[in-house]
């Protein structure tokens, strides 16, 4: 299913339009000549990885079915400054009514793709892929995880229902690593692997002995992480998370871990600037 | 109406829960003892301005009506590191099912409040208040604008329907400042003021002559802005936007402008870290 | 955004269809030959101002995408008796399934437009425009305010969020005209004016001194209204409301007030009769 | 099921609140002291039949669950002038936020109940009951039909799916009264009667011969109606519709018809005036 | 209104797609070449009566508007083994994404149609038609009642609002057959008949004397039923229900009853097997 | 999250109520004394495994918040004939309004649980657990999969997004077992295992060599299945599906397979009979 057709994406677009347009665009009503048609482009102002251009037709279809849009670059493409990424034809009032919502999506998703790309590039020398987390903006998870992929990242589980990740909390509430991991391995749905968070060598060995399919090392220093990855010795894949920055990601990626998960990809990526320019009207 | 009861807020919470929980929390199901009850607190990890704690009961009411929550600080309160901001009692599985969604809201909204507070403090010496824009995250506008207020900022219009802001685009499409502003002043709903974007002295004078109620100076240097504010000479309030940073906001605030609007408050505020800690279970 | 595409309008149309069609049109099922096609027109029976014809394609698109419609007159047009205003082609069963819902919208909205036109005409000699209120039929506000415009009226605020109107209640609860209006002027969003209801000369002067942008005189006699408008002396626009009828609207309009608001435009306009006629079938 | 709990009624209330409150009540925000509590009553201004008081808790539950309401009169009760019909306790801002929506429902539904009562009283000497039609306001059919009952009227079918009414259009499209009525009687669901519109003696006899369970005489003069009712001679019940006014309803009711259906009950009933009064605050 | 366009049917299709596709089809994503197009047919594996083929375009329109579908047989058609009933063209990933949902609808509805046909055939010698009940699968009533028709059955009332059926419970709660039936006949909406459940001769006579329009004999043996039908002697139609099987339906149908209603038609029809076959891809 | 609180379950309950109650229960309205209160129990008529009793409060909360319910047995409990499973107190009209919807859920879900239990018991001697499929009734998947668990079965993946199952179609479209399975193993999300359908020894070996985590044998005879399981020799778990009946399930379970998946559990389980009995009223 095309992501732009996914029910949760369509709902997100409609919610955004309703909160921005409300009962109608007063400014256009009191300033524009009636029946004015126009052509516009959306321009990326600075170099970035673009994500979300496929939302342009979704946004404008909800406003005025007679507006036409063309995506000028593919999602995930790196673009230079002042690059046109979407072109729009239609009633000027309709173009302006959808402008801000489309830009808000594009600046946010392209921000995530661009920020992810920086981590991916910084970690390029190591063995680890860059993955996202569930620390996403409420209502936008599918789109944000898509943006991570556009930036070269890899998606972790999408929710609590399509992956098992046993954290310290579960271990503490459930009676210790051994008991909890054994119970989980026995009860896990057949299609799901069991990942276990470990804080040190003892927990690593306990988790592996109990049947863990992969491990998570959270908030470990580079040195600790390297040590624990060495201890695992390839028996299962290891993921690192917590405290990863653009400065230290290369060091973490060089520990031999398979994955580095970074919440900031989705919760703290700065927006990239884009704007809409009217090219012609009449 | 309490913001937590607003239909668009409730929809945002439900959408977030549906995308995170999906068909159910597999990990808790396969690790936790049945019927385990617990108490938890949400802790701010670093100093920040908290926003969104009133969402805790909204989140958990949708998961399990028997979970109780208590807000330990008021929204907008500055808190120190490791401060408990919300306490939660109920089934451990329910607490963990809502944990990530509540944290995602809190980290995002508190990030905006904290970032706004930094701009407000930096601009404190000048005459201008810090205001937000429509550059918000799709679906979260009411909550984000609330967070801006919690950080000491002031809200600009909420959408295209509750304020008139004539931008360069409208001027270009509508036949020039004079014609457009006159038309707008004549046609504007009685309760709304007419704000006009101006790029230089000529446009300022034209807009004022045509009846503008307030002006917007977008992407002007501090010097240009100071000059134009002086030209306006208090006839109407002046708003500055574009290119405002923590470094230059004090200079802009000293120009005599009434308002400085900053898109980054809502589109690029880094998340503030919070986490949930189980205090007791049994 | 085209009003027929507004989410709240589409929801209103769907709700109307669901309540009228329910599980299906039994009568057509048991009486009509299968596959019968037809052409029909909607006729205004008496002279009126038509409003809502743009809903015809919205109604039938929800029933059967193969039905075609053509609006034969523009919204707001005055039409004579037995004038065709919409033409419809398609399956006879589909035409009959949508007939009543379309007519219910048209008779109601055209009733408002026609009733408004009568007030506008009656007030034509004075300085005041005719404006609507928030006394609208639940669920139909956008459409009813559109109908008021089609009848020559002007729209007041659309809701509690796009205009400030301080009524006696606010004054009483907030500590008197002076205190309340000053507080409101200080706290009002930058784009909104402050309108204040006043019952006599003292309140008028207090409101003006405190910074009111416009005044409302509610339930004043023509003489009182004339006196108070004279007192305001053009300092701000004055609106009159309460007890305005077709008989006295000219007198109120001659007081010098800028606006006369009339709840009856939307809550008590009698429906205008329209019906559907099958022109051809086969 | 309590009407106030019916899904379509709850949707109507929520839609009304969303369109009136929008993003929040600006006026209360900028004028009222925070945390102000109050008591209010809704007063009928003139004698009327009240309908819709059960909506008070539905409206306020959606705004603020801490607001309490009490219905002071039963739905359908005739009340004198300045009668309190609902009492409300809670936050002043919440009371004012729901005031207009509650009043809009009450003035509309009580208007219908009051208007219906006038027809019922005018027709009291005859044999016919007063019934409603499908000419209702879009989205409010269940409530409006309830209001008709409160005014002493009787409900006709609620939609196209719970009754068979063969109109001239069906007869024309389906091949004549005899063929259409026979087909309908054969195919009608077992629980539904077949009603047939007739324009003269020939159609009456044809419909009865073909098995009609009841007849509709539309747009007949009193004399024609009396003649045709006499012709039917009690074989089936007869309904009269079209052109019925307060002036002639008694004459129609004296024809011996069983029912008189009047679209104006729901599409043209003038609103009855009600208002909200704050009784105490602090 | 085409059943595939009915709001409740569209909601059922969307709900089915959301629960099956969730956040996306992982298997297709990780196995199929991008941009692969294909043609597929849906095949009935065994002889059956097909129902629901009109849902194919509804299902795929919600997934990918570029998928085309063709219904190869009419709903209600009996088909032999390995008969193609729907053909689909489009992106292979889209076809596979909708496969299971379409098959789930078809296997369920065709199961009902086929099961109904067996009862209809078994009862063919008698006077009674086979009718359904309200014992349907939650959310699918309109579709299941359509499937019953496709199998040659007749629909009973669709819900509690379009038919009156006085059961033993109503009789017991309301004060006995005579009182309850008289009250119901007096208060029934004009378009609805009154059906009464009777357990023996005394209740039959009481119901008829009180004005019942038709009777229901529930859980009577064939002999009891025959006796009671004879007692009714054609005064009103009689329906039989309870304990009817393929083995005894002919005997019940020979009692002279007009209708035999069977809950198993919709609650216990076994699914008929269908599958999708890719015919070409590239 | 309690299953009864899951959004998709609540939507299913509301949809069922809307389609059954429609505009209201006419029969109760015309037969029951107003204000009649009552107590009722839901009784299982025959021995069965009960599932879905937790829906009783969900159903009645949507009808009348004053109705109280008590679940008398736990979901999954085997009950004897004429066992009361739910007790209900409240207005008689409310109890009757919800009766059919609650029974429709219970008879369907208990039917699945009971049918599953028969397969589980029949397979008890072997090594395999009984699992469900995606062949569920549209809209009811979460509930039906719960019912399977209540009958002693185990749940397979819930949708296309939480499990990878490479079928023949994917193999054919993707270029053969080796290529497709290698591609899938490389691209699969980290938390998901890769299951591959195999039709014979060659495909089994190819799939295992390419990295498959588990295998599916579809439509194999007992002998073929036993042979292929022997070939796998415990390297990965094997699932059997297709053509499994109560008669042959023991033989399949004795092949050494880990799982036997059966579509009929959810698509062809006959309903179990339950009814509601009024115990007291007044």
């Amino acid at each position: 299913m095309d992501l732009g057709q996914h029910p949760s994406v369509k709902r997100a677009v409609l919610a955004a339009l309703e909160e921005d347009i409300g009962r109608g665009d007063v400014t256009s009503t009191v300033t524009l000549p009636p029946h004015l048609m126009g052509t516009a482009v959306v321009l990326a102002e600075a170099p970035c990885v673009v994500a979300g251009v496929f939302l342009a037709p979704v946004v404008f279809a909800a406003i005025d079915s007679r507006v036409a849009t063309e995506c000028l670059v593919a999602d995930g493409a790196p673009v230079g400054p002042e690059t046109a990424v979407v072109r729009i034809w239609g009633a000027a009032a309709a173009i302006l009514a959808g402008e801000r919502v489309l830009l808000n999506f594009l600046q946010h998703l392209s921000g995530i793709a661009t920020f992810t790309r920086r981590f991916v590039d910084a970690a390029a020398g190591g063995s680890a892929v860059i993955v996202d987390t569930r620390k996403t903006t409420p209502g936008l998870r599918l789109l944000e995880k898509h943006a991570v992929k556009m930036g070269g990242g890899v998606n972790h589980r999408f929710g609590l229902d399509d992956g098992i990740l046993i954290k310290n909390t579960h271990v503490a509430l459930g009676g210790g690593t051994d008991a909890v991991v054994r119970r989980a391995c026995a009860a896990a749905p057949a299609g799901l692997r069991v990942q276990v968070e470990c804080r040190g060598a003892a927990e690593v060995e306990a988790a592996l002995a109990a049947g863990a399919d992969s491990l998570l090392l959270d908030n470990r220093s580079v040195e600790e992480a390297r040590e624990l990855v060495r201890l695992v010795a390839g028996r299962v894949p290891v993921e690192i998370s917590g405290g990863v920055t653009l400065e230290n990601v290369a060091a973490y990626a060089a520990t031999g871990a398979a994955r580095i998960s970074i919440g900031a990809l989705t919760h703290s990526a700065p927006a990239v600037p884009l704007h809409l320019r009217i090219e012609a009207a009449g």
Side-chain angles (χ1 to χ4, degrees), chain A residues 122-176:
Chain A
S127 57
V129 294
I130 301 298
V131 304
D132 51 32
T133 67
R134 286 167 47 237
K135 297 182 176 180
T136 57
T137 313
L140 302 180
R141 186 166 291 171
L142 283 187
L143 289 169
E144 292 187 348
K145 292 211 162 222
H146 165 78
V148 166
K149 278 205 296 188
M150 293 301 101
V154 168
N155 294 331
H156 209 301
R157 62 177 173 170
F158 275 71
L160 292 168
D161 59 344
D162 67 337
I164 297 175
L165 174 41
I166 302 176
K167 297 196 177 169
N168 293 338
T169 308
H170 301 100
V171 169
L173 292 173

Side-chain angles (χ1 to χ4, degrees), chain A residues 9-243:
Chain A
V9 171
K10 285 210 243 185
R11 274 195 289 265
V13 168
L14 286 178
L17 287 170
E18 287 202 50
E19 76 184 0
D20 193 45
I21 300 183
R23 305 175 187 96
D25 180 354
V26 194
T27 309
S28 287
T29 302
V30 300
T31 61
L32 298 189
H35 310 306
L36 186 69
M37 305 299 289
T39 307
V41 286
V42 173
L43 295 146
E45 298 178 16
C48 66
V49 178
V50 171
V53 290
F54 62 88
L55 293 172
V58 184
V59 166
F60 285 103
I63 293 176
D64 180 344
S65 59
R66 294 158 302 180
V67 171
T69 59
E70 184 190 6
C71 297
L72 304 174
V73 300
D75 244 40
V79 299
E82 292 301 308
T83 307
V85 299
V86 174
R87 177 164 283 118
I88 309 162
W89 297 263
I95 294 174
L96 295 184
E99 170 189 5
R100 177 45 47 209
V101 166
L102 177 58
L103 290 176
N104 283 352
F105 274 109
L106 288 176
Q107 73 187 6
H108 182 69
L109 298 176
S110 302
I112 290 172
T114 304
F115 200 46
T116 301
R117 169 58 60 193
R118 293 180 65 195
F119 276 96
V120 169
D121 289 346
S127 57
V129 294
I130 301 298
V131 304
D132 51 32
T133 67
R134 286 167 47 237
K135 297 182 176 180
T136 57
T137 313
L140 302 180
R141 186 166 291 171
L142 283 187
L143 289 169
E144 292 187 348
K145 292 211 162 222
H146 165 78
V148 166
K149 278 205 296 188
M150 293 301 101
V154 168
N155 294 331
H156 209 301
R157 62 177 173 170
F158 275 71
L160 292 168
D161 59 344
D162 67 337
I164 297 175
L165 174 41
I166 302 176
K167 297 196 177 169
N168 293 338
T169 308
H170 301 100
V171 169
L173 292 173
T177 298
D178 182 70
V180 168
V181 177
R182 281 188 199 285
R183 199 183 313 143
C185 290
L192 298 185
R193 302 184 195 280
V194 174
Q195 182 176 18
V196 184
E197 179 184 347
C198 298
R199 280 164 304 188
E203 286 187 3
V204 164
E205 290 297 355
L208 290 176
D213 292 305
S214 74
L215 303 184
L216 172 67
L217 308 176
D218 189 39
N219 286 317
R220 299 301 105 191
S221 69
V222 172
E223 292 68 33
E224 290 174 301
R226 190 183 302 118
E227 196 69 29
L228 291 169
V229 171
R230 193 174 298 140
L231 175 64
V232 175
R235 285 178 282 179
V236 299
V238 176
E239 175 180 334
I240 288 172
S241 71

